[in-house]
Amino acid sequence: MGLPFPIFTWWNGATFGTRMGLRGKKRVGEDSLGNLYFEGGRDPNGIPRRWVIYKGSNDASRIPPEWFSWLAHQIDGTPDESLPPVRAWEKPAEPNLTGTELAYRPPGALEKGAHRAKATGDYEAWTPDA
């Protein structure tokens, strides 16, 4: 797309202005999806400010749970140093699939043919006279 593309597009990674705003901030890590995490400065309450720069589309559901806990100040250190190792039975986090082909569609949804199971006969419509 060329050089000017990241200057104007906020939905696909960081813009030029965001990158300039992160000058002097400390890069603290990178997750398995390639998102970069930064820390620096303090807010008016004295809490350190933290940022994520997405690799690809800007979708908050693409932040793994361990890094979300760091961004939300639930843990002080990075996930590598503050959290226990991942257990064998844990599944990897999935991004929000709404609006994609992999989204959940219940029986009877238009995308699944719009055919619902027959009623079981235990339904009786309400009438005001009853």
Side-chain angles (χ1 to χ4, degrees), residues 10 12-15 18-19 21-22 25-40 48-73:
W10 55 266
N12 194 15
T15 62
T18 302
R19 295 230 180 249
L22 289 174
K25 308 299 188 249
K26 178 182 169 192
R27 180 178 162 183
V28 295
E30 181 176 352
D31 64 19
S32 59
L33 299 173
N35 299 326
L36 302 175
Y37 298 89
F38 294 87
E39 185 174 46
R49 292 186 187 257
R50 295 175 176 175
W51 293 271
V52 59
I53 301 298
Y54 298 98
K55 180 175 183 180
S57 63
N58 291 342
D59 181 8
S61 71
R62 295 184 63 238
I63 298 175
E66 60 272 10
W67 279 103
F68 177 82
S69 61
W70 178 81
L71 279 172
H73 297 282

Side-chain angles (χ1 to χ4, degrees), residues 66-90:
E66 60 272 10
W67 279 103
F68 177 82
S69 61
W70 178 81
L71 279 172
H73 297 282
Q74 295 171 347
I75 58 175
D76 290 329
T78 62
D80 298 337
E81 59 192 37
S82 298
L83 298 176
V86 177
R87 296 186 170 82
W89 48 264
E90 290 184 81

